[in-house]
């Protein structure tokens, strides 16, 4: 596509972005329901807006299951431009992007992110070149780009890490580059579907699974690993001979902030609360329904849902009760009262940390 035609495309997309923003702001003023808009609904808005901006149906390919969501093809010379559609209910311009294995590996000349930020005082919409807003790599069961449309020019992840070649690599070379960027030295769970031992993973990767387990499977707080274990093996290709140790190894710990002993999983949750909170905020509707049996677009309500599930599954062992009885403050408490106090004080502290700077 010639530079002149590319500029014309971009100008139309920029004008369209402003028009979408105006529509969302008008909608919020009208009935204040725009924050509940789903990702699919926003893609529909974008599609209609593309047509309104003068793009013809035959120029637009829309597939929300592939990257990018929209491909705009210049029918004169066959060149293509991609538009990846994102929306967030938070007040920050941050969101999980696509898998590193699919992103930008195509015959599209340039890909742009069109993102709606529905949190804050009013909805806003921005358009920015995809690679310019890559802020880092996010590892769950697969490495994904983390996008931040507030990045200044030259502050993107690829520039900071001299990793522009990441977008051109594939196969073993790509896996090697990912491991280098994540500072690991071995093949990991995303590499060609090979199952690896949890014990052999670097500590950073072990921490990913701990936080994923706590966020997605609140039943681990009662020692129930029946859903977590097959997910770890079949979704993440990681085998662990003693899953319980991921959450409970090390025994009870004393927490200065609440002046009592807590279980190992309670302690690890408090220590990793920021990562756990980020994972919960990023959960999709499908993930919420699959793992929790309920869903919401509202971030605060989603945190409350998780806290409620943790409270429902939280258990206190006899060893934990015995350890707290050794403390002067609790030496005259009954076992039942200690149990209630541990649960109450832990949940109170967890609630405070989860909602801090949300």
């Amino acid at each position: 596509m010639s530079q002149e035609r590319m500029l014309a495309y971009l100008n139309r997309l920029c004008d369209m972005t402003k028009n979408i923003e105006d529509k969302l702001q008008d909608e919020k003023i009208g009935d204040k329901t725009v924050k509940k808009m789903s990702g699919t609904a926003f893609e529909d808005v974008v599609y209609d807006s593309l047509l309104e901006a003068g793009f013809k149906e035959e120029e637009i390919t829309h597939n929300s299951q592939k990257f990018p969501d929209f491909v705009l093809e210049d029918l004169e010379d066959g060149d293509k431009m991609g538009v990846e559609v994102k929306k967030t209910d938070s007040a920050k311009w941050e969101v999980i992007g696509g898998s590193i294995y699919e992103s930008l590996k195509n015959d599209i000349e340039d890909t742009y992110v069109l993102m709606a930020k529905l949190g804050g005082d009013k909805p806003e919409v921005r358009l920015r070149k995809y690679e310019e807003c890559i802020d880092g790599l996010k590892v769950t069961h697969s490495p994904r780009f983390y996008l931040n449309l507030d990045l200044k020019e030259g502050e993107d992840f690829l520039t900071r890490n001299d990793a522009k070649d990441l977008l051109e690599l594939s196969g073993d070379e790509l896996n090697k580059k990912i491991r280098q960027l994540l500072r690991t030295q071995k093949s990991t769970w995303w590499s060609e579907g090979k199952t690896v031992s949890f014990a052999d993973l670097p500590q950073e990767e072990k921490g990913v699974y701990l936080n994923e387990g706590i966020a997605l499977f609140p039943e681990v707080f009662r020692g129930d690993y029946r859903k977590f274990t097959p997910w770890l093996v079949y979704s993440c290709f990681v085998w662990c001979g003693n899953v319980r140790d991921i959450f409970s190894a090390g025994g009870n710990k004393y927490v200065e902030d609440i002046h009592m002993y807590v279980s190992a999983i309670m302690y690890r949750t408090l220590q990793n609360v920021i990562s756990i909170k980020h994972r919960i905020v990023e959960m999709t509707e499908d993930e919420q329904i699959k793992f929790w049996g309920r869903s919401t677009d509202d971030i605060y309500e989603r945190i409350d849902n998780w806290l409620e599930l943790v409270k429902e599954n939280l258990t206190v062992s006899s060893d934990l009760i015995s350890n707290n009885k050794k403390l002067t403050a609790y030496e005259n408490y009954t076992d039942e009262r200690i149990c209630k106090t541990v649960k109450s004080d832990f949940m109170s502290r967890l609630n405070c940390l989860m909602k801090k700077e949300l």
Side-chain angles (χ1 to χ4, degrees):
M1 186 182 297
S2 69
Q3 187 173 0
E4 183 179 353
R5 292 181 66 81
M6 174 68 76
L7 184 59
Y9 263 62
L10 280 177
N11 286 336
R12 289 163 72 186
L13 287 175
C14 288
D15 290 342
M16 184 191 79
T17 300
K18 182 62 172 65
N19 289 336
I20 294 175
E21 181 177 85
D22 291 342
K23 288 180 182 178
L24 294 181
Q25 290 179 1
D26 289 343
E27 184 178 344
K28 185 165 186 177
I29 292 172
D31 59 21
K32 299 186 182 299
T33 60
V34 67
K35 192 173 183 180
K36 298 296 183 181
M37 177 181 289
S38 68
T40 301
F42 183 54
E43 285 187 30
D44 291 339
V45 170
V46 173
Y47 182 77
D48 291 340
S49 297
L50 284 168
L51 295 177
E52 291 173 6
F55 292 97
K56 300 176 182 178
E57 287 189 22
E58 55 268 30
E59 294 179 305
I60 306 170
T61 301
H62 178 209
N63 189 335
S64 58
Q65 303 303 314
K66 292 184 179 181
F67 179 90
D69 297 305
F70 291 92
V71 176
L72 308 177
E73 183 175 359
D74 187 329
L75 299 180
E76 287 190 18
D77 58 20
D79 287 340
K80 300 175 182 178
M81 176 185 291
V83 178
E84 177 72 354
V85 177
K86 294 291 183 183
K87 73 103 185 178
T88 177
D89 296 319
S90 77
K92 297 181 178 180
W93 290 100
E94 300 175 14
V95 70
I96 291 292
S99 167
I100 293 174
Y101 290 106
E102 65 180 11
S103 295
L104 311 185
K105 304 291 192 305
N106 46 46
D107 58 351
I108 297 171
E109 188 164 341
D110 280 315
T111 296
Y112 290 79
V113 179
L114 193 157
M115 181 171 168
K117 178 174 69 66
L118 304 182
D121 295 333
K122 60 182 180 180
E124 295 180 72
V125 185
R126 288 182 184 176
L127 181 76
R128 190 168 184 185
K129 199 169 184 178
Y130 193 95
E131 60 192 77
E132 292 178 355
C133 49
I134 297 174
D135 198 16
L137 307 184
K138 189 77 174 180
V139 181
T140 53
H141 63 278
S142 170
R144 306 176 74 85
F145 289 124
Y146 191 79
L147 306 180
N148 179 357
L149 273 68
D150 257 344
L151 288 179
K152 295 179 181 178
E153 186 176 353
E155 290 186 355
D156 63 275
F157 177 82
L158 302 181
T159 301
R160 294 196 315 264
N161 292 276
D162 192 25
K164 292 287 188 180
D165 58 336
L166 183 68
L167 304 181
E168 309 299 328
L169 300 176
S170 60
D172 289 342
E173 289 186 345
L174 177 58
N175 285 327
K176 183 179 179 180
K177 187 69 174 184
I178 293 171
R179 292 194 298 271
Q180 176 187 340
L181 292 169
L182 294 175
R183 293 172 175 80
T184 64
Q185 300 297 320
K186 61 180 14 283
S187 294
T188 44
W189 66 95
W190 64 80
S191 178
E192 299 177 358
K194 293 181 179 178
T195 302
V196 297
S197 169
F198 182 86
D200 291 338
L201 294 177
Q203 197 60 41
E204 180 184 13
E205 293 176 28
K206 290 180 179 179
V208 169
Y209 291 114
L210 168 71
N211 297 334
E212 288 273 308
I214 291 173
L216 303 181
F217 304 93
E219 63 270 17
V220 298
F221 280 89
R222 70 169 187 269
D224 184 351
Y225 312 116
R226 289 174 295 177
K227 294 180 180 179
F228 173 79
T229 301
W231 171 84
L232 187 67
V233 174
Y234 298 116
S235 295
C236 310
F237 307 110
V238 175
W239 166 254
C240 183
N242 191 350
V243 171
R244 178 182 178 278
D245 283 351
I246 297 176
F247 305 97
S248 302
N252 301 328
K253 303 283 186 180
Y254 184 78
V255 178
E256 191 70 40
D257 289 344
I258 54 178
H259 310 294
M260 65 171 50
Y261 285 95
V262 297
S263 66
I265 189 172
M266 293 182 200
Y267 181 78
R268 291 186 171 105
T269 301
L270 295 177
Q271 292 294 105
N272 295 282
V273 70
I274 294 177
S275 295
I276 294 167
K277 176 167 60 177
H278 284 170
R279 182 63 179 98
I280 293 170
V281 167
E282 293 159 4
M283 287 179 71
T284 64
E285 180 181 358
D286 289 343
E287 285 180 323
Q288 293 174 65
I289 293 173
K290 179 179 179 180
F291 297 117
W292 297 353
R294 64 186 79 172
S295 70
T296 176
D297 285 337
D298 186 271
I299 301 302
Y300 291 93
E301 187 177 345
R302 192 179 309 169
I303 294 294
D304 283 336
N305 283 345
W306 180 78
L307 288 169
E308 181 182 336
L309 290 168
V310 171
K311 184 177 180 180
E312 289 176 3
N313 286 282
L314 194 62
T315 60
V316 175
S317 69
S318 57
D319 285 343
L320 184 52
I321 291 173
S322 296
N323 279 332
N324 278 300
K325 268 192 172 181
K326 297 174 185 177
L327 301 174
T328 303
Y330 308 107
E331 58 185 357
N332 295 320
Y333 279 35
T334 64
D335 288 5
E336 182 180 0
R337 188 178 177 188
I338 289 177
C339 181
K340 289 182 178 179
T341 302
V342 170
K343 289 183 177 181
S344 175
D345 288 5
F346 169 75
M347 290 305 304
S348 177
R349 181 60 178 160
L350 182 59
N351 182 81
C352 179
L353 292 174
M354 288 295 291
K355 294 180 179 178
K356 183 179 180 182
E357 298 179 1
L358 188 59

